[in-house]
Amino acid sequence: MKKQSFPYLYTQDLWYFGLSCALGCMVSFPRAALADNSAEIAQLRSMVLQLQAQVKDLQKNQRAPRSPLRHQPRAEQNPTSHYASGQQASGTAGTRLARSPSMPSQQTEELAGPIRINNQPVAPFSADPAPTAMAQDTPSVKNINLSSSSPTALTQTEVDSLPPIFKIGSVSVKLGGFVDMSNIYRDKNLTAGPATPWGAFPYSGNPNAHASEYRPTAQLSRFSLLIEGKPARGVTVEAYVESDFGGSGSNSNAVQTNSYVPRMRQAYLAADDRDLGLHFLAGQAWSLTTGYTSTLLRRHEQLPPVVDSNLIPGVTFTRVPQVRFIKDFHRKWWLGLSVETPQATLGFDDSTLDSGGNIPPAMGQTSGPHVIYNSTGTGMLDPEAHYSLDAAPDIVLKTAVDTSAGHYELYGLARWFRTIVVNGGGSGGLGGQAHSRVAFGGGVGGSMAVPLLSGKMQLVGDVLAGRGIGRYGPSQLPDMTFRSTGAPAPLHEIIGSLGLIGHPTDNLLLYSYGGVEAAHRTVYEGADGNYYGYGSPNARLSGCSLMMGVCNAQTQSLISYTMGGWWHLLDGHYGSVMAGLQYTYVRKFAFRGVNDTGTTTRPTVNGNTVFVTFRYYPFQN
């Protein structure tokens, strides 16, 4: 033996012999003393035999010529060692066992052979890897992504990025959602839930303008279900359902049980063919007029990360049944067509007018026509709601592009409005003639999402301008009024917002938005010299500032400013907990009218809303 190898091999052989003797003594312990532990003894003896066989091979390698830089063989160089290969994937503990020394070969042969306890054969020691929970590192916890200008954890349910909960055949099922507790404060009483009617802030003559409102609610708690299948390579089909508790049943109240009912937010089927760049959707989803963070695909909508279910003034959106076709060109250029459910909202100076009533006659006429413009619901429609007489669906044609400098969209919206006019006849139009009157409306819009400061901030904005587009704004300005003939008169309107979103840290999101919605005056001169339609210049507005007075003011414009933030507080295998704070300021302007003295007046009102929200995301882990 060479002198330079003596210290290593000699000490190693002594250590090997000591370990083998110790293990051998454990196996040779008097059987009577361990009569109750025969299974344990068998396991130990089996382990010793396997170690001895393994170490014998290691000894052979140690006595072989070796490089000066390689003094000890690695466990993975012994492919015949089943125990070593099994424990190698289990961490450092398995590696140390794989490098254990061996006993002399003659001792191995003496102990070799089947192991028997009380003349009964015992199964050999299992060499399976250690349990995953013990052997592997703790898996990393998924963080909620707040880096987007429209984080899907806040605006949607981030169900796409979650792992499947279970599978049914070849179909995967994913769950998403959160539990929400929002505390709402408004400086004026709107008697409203978590969907603020922004255009309803009362003027000073209304007693509700002098009372504040505090309304805690859990109605925004949300649940989603995504079912996905892959019938062919590059082809995906899915069904998506999303619900919250924003519905109000006939027995819903806030006295004792707060029994608000689930409602359908989204429910649609979709299909994608990535190779062809074709995408299809049918069902209830966000309108294609809504801005997108990227692409034109569902669940990529550019929604403000606000708490209020009615978002904020100036943001274009509806959530309606539709059929949509999308074509992408290399996942950069996008072209979409959507056929969507229409509805029309009405604004008219005569607040006492009901569908079927007669409007004031125009100058030179003795009587106005009877106008039917909506009907109450039946057959699974809400019998307490009114539905407009729609001539055709709303049609949206949109194009978009994704670049390194942001996402940009441009679209056109086409709408049709209809009334039924009854001329002549007796009282109530009895015996008269009915005619269908249709008017065309729509507009042009666009949106953008531009990254700033290396993605730490985003500038977002959207705008829609045209005729008869009030329905697409959260303030719900009317779409149309009447001409003197009873035909629809779509209103010229504009809706727009601009926002800045920043995420200074991974756990913090801050946002600020400004928005505006405005409508133009559309009137006709009546036989009595007054003007009728929407925004009459001689409307009597004295009651708007007189306590308990009658206020006939109609909204011309509404501006808003919103600021807020979300804090990601806790994160782990139990899910994630977040807290949000939001403040919105609203100022509403009415069309100019006159007071009792004939002086021109213009009522205005301010509104302040604060949300303090806590959310738990049980599926974000």
Side-chain angles (χ1 to χ4, degrees):
M1 182 178 295
K2 294 183 181 180
K3 185 177 180 180
Q4 63 180 10
S5 62
F6 173 79
Y8 174 79
L9 287 178
Y10 184 71
T11 55
Q12 282 288 84
D13 287 344
L14 287 177
W15 190 80
Y16 291 170
F17 182 78
L19 175 62
S20 299
C21 288
L23 293 173
C25 290
M26 291 174 63
V27 177
S28 303
F29 199 81
R31 186 176 303 171
L34 296 175
D36 295 333
N37 298 309
S38 58
E40 288 82 351
I41 295 174
Q43 293 287 334
L44 288 173
R45 292 191 63 178
S46 178
M47 182 176 67
V48 169
L49 292 177
Q50 296 185 47
L51 285 173
Q52 288 171 346
Q54 170 196 338
V55 173
K56 180 179 178 181
D57 294 334
L58 290 174
Q59 267 192 324
K60 292 179 180 179
N61 292 333
Q62 288 171 347
R63 292 192 175 95
R66 66 190 71 201
S67 168
L69 297 178
R70 186 180 180 187
H71 298 297
Q72 186 173 353
R74 301 172 66 92
E76 58 266 30
Q77 290 173 326
N78 183 13
T80 62
S81 175
H82 172 69
Y83 186 77
S85 62
Q87 288 292 337
Q88 198 169 13
S90 301
T92 57
T95 304
R96 287 196 297 269
L97 284 175
R99 295 174 180 174
S100 300
S102 68
M103 295 176 61
S105 60
Q106 62 268 23
Q107 296 185 22
T108 303
E109 294 173 359
E110 292 175 359
L111 293 176
I115 302 174
R116 306 180 72 86
I117 300 296
N118 296 329
N119 294 324
Q120 297 295 325
V122 178
F125 175 71
S126 174
D128 293 337
T132 304
M134 298 293 294
Q136 297 179 351
D137 294 334
T138 302
S140 60
V141 177
K142 180 182 179 297
N143 290 321
I144 291 182
N145 179 20
L146 297 181
S147 62
S148 170
S149 58
S150 184
T152 53
L154 302 174
T155 60
Q156 307 283 0
T157 59
E158 205 174 32
V159 67
D160 295 82
S161 60
L162 298 177
I165 299 298
F166 55 87
K167 288 192 173 184
I168 304 175
S170 300
V171 176
S172 66
V173 180
K174 299 180 179 181
L175 301 180
F178 50 78
V179 175
D180 180 284
M181 176 58 190
S182 293
N183 300 272
I184 310 169
Y185 170 81
R186 301 184 182 98
D187 66 340
K188 293 177 174 58
N189 180 31
L190 301 183
T191 316
T196 304
W198 301 109
F201 279 90
Y203 296 103
S204 60
N206 190 323
N208 283 325
H210 305 275
S212 61
E213 175 182 23
Y214 169 65
R215 199 164 299 280
T217 179
Q219 288 179 267
L220 294 181
S221 299
R222 193 181 305 174
F223 178 81
S224 70
L225 177 69
L226 175 62
I227 304 174
E228 293 179 308
K230 298 183 181 300
R233 182 177 179 180
V235 178
T236 303
V237 294
E238 70 175 39
Y240 181 75
V241 178
E242 182 181 282
S243 176
D244 63 11
F245 296 88
S248 56
S250 59
N251 295 322
S252 297
N253 64 81
V255 176
Q256 189 174 46
T257 59
N258 285 267
S259 305
Y260 295 98
V261 299
R263 66 168 180 171
M264 178 177 65
R265 285 176 56 89
Q266 300 189 75
Y268 55 78
L269 63 93
D272 303 278
D273 190 321
R274 294 181 61 90
D275 295 336
L276 297 178
L278 297 177
H279 312 274
F280 171 78
L281 180 146
Q284 178 160 307
W286 296 93
S287 168
L288 192 58
T289 60
T290 309
Y292 286 74
T293 58
S294 62
T295 76
L296 290 181
L297 301 181
R298 66 258 175 214
R299 300 189 297 279
H300 284 74
E301 290 82 7
Q302 175 60 266
L303 303 172
V306 298
V307 184
D308 200 298
S309 184
N310 199 24
L311 303 185
I312 50 178
V315 176
T316 303
F317 84 96
T318 59
R319 200 169 53 239
V320 294
Q322 60 193 272
V323 177
R324 182 191 304 178
F325 301 90
I326 304 291
K327 167 63 178 171
D328 75 75
F329 301 89
H330 307 293
R331 306 287 292 188
K332 179 180 180 180
W333 293 90
W334 302 81
L335 182 64
L337 174 66
S338 185
V339 179
E340 305 183 355
T341 300
Q343 280 291 292
T345 57
L346 176 72
F348 193 71
D349 290 284
D350 187 355
S351 59
T352 63
L353 178 68
D354 292 324
S355 181
N358 63 311
I359 62 175
M363 181 66 69
Q365 297 180 350
T366 58
S367 64
H370 293 268
V371 182
I372 297 92
Y373 55 90
N374 64 34
S375 300
T376 56
T378 61
M380 296 184 71
L381 294 181
D382 187 353
E384 298 181 1
H386 300 283
Y387 297 83
S388 57
L389 309 178
D390 304 305
D394 290 0
I395 297 178
V396 184
L397 180 64
K398 174 180 278 192
T399 182
V401 60
D402 290 304
T403 71
S404 59
H407 175 81
Y408 302 90
E409 301 177 358
L410 181 66
Y411 65 91
L413 169 65
R415 307 194 66 195
W416 289 264
F417 305 94
R418 179 167 61 184
T419 61
I420 298 177
V421 179
V422 179
N423 290 307
S427 176
L430 183 64
Q433 294 182 337
H435 303 275
S436 177
R437 304 297 185 190
V438 177
F440 176 79
V444 176
S447 66
M448 65 177 182
V450 183
L452 303 173
L453 301 179
S454 301
K456 285 292 183 180
M457 297 182 68
Q458 285 93 28
L459 177 67
V460 297
D462 70 282
V463 64
L464 174 61
R467 298 171 63 242
I469 60 171
R471 172 201 186 200
Y472 286 83
S475 300
Q476 289 295 286
L477 295 178
D479 293 315
M480 68 175 194
T481 187
F482 296 130
R483 304 187 187 279
S484 61
T485 60
L491 302 176
H492 291 271
E493 295 165 312
I494 186 170
I495 304 169
S497 69
L498 191 66
L500 193 63
I501 298 93
H503 33 91
T505 68
D506 292 339
N507 295 332
L508 178 63
L509 175 76
L510 302 176
Y511 57 87
S512 176
Y513 278 84
V516 61
E517 298 183 39
H520 288 252
R521 176 183 286 117
T522 300
V523 296
Y524 69 89
E525 186 177 4
D528 56 2
N530 294 320
Y531 289 89
Y532 297 94
Y534 188 73
S536 171
N538 59 2
R540 298 291 177 175
L541 304 179
S542 299
C544 297
S545 58
L546 180 66
M547 187 58 61
M548 302 297 288
V550 177
C551 181
N552 293 321
Q554 294 177 310
T555 303
Q556 179 189 33
S557 61
L558 190 144
I559 62 173
S560 70
Y561 174 73
T562 299
M563 61 183 299
W566 285 95
W567 290 263
H568 190 179
L569 301 178
L570 299 175
D571 190 63
H573 296 291
Y574 46 80
S576 301
V577 177
M578 299 190 70
L581 176 64
Q582 176 186 324
Y583 166 73
T584 299
Y585 168 82
V586 172
R587 185 169 181 85
K588 182 172 69 171
F589 299 87
F591 283 101
R592 296 182 184 276
V594 296
N595 56 24
D596 290 340
T597 61
T599 305
T600 300
T601 183
R602 188 186 192 186
T604 63
V605 62
N606 300 330
N608 298 276
T609 301
V610 176
F611 276 77
V612 179
T613 302
F614 301 95
R615 281 184 182 176
Y616 173 44
Y617 296 81
F619 302 107
Q620 310 289 341
N621 52 52

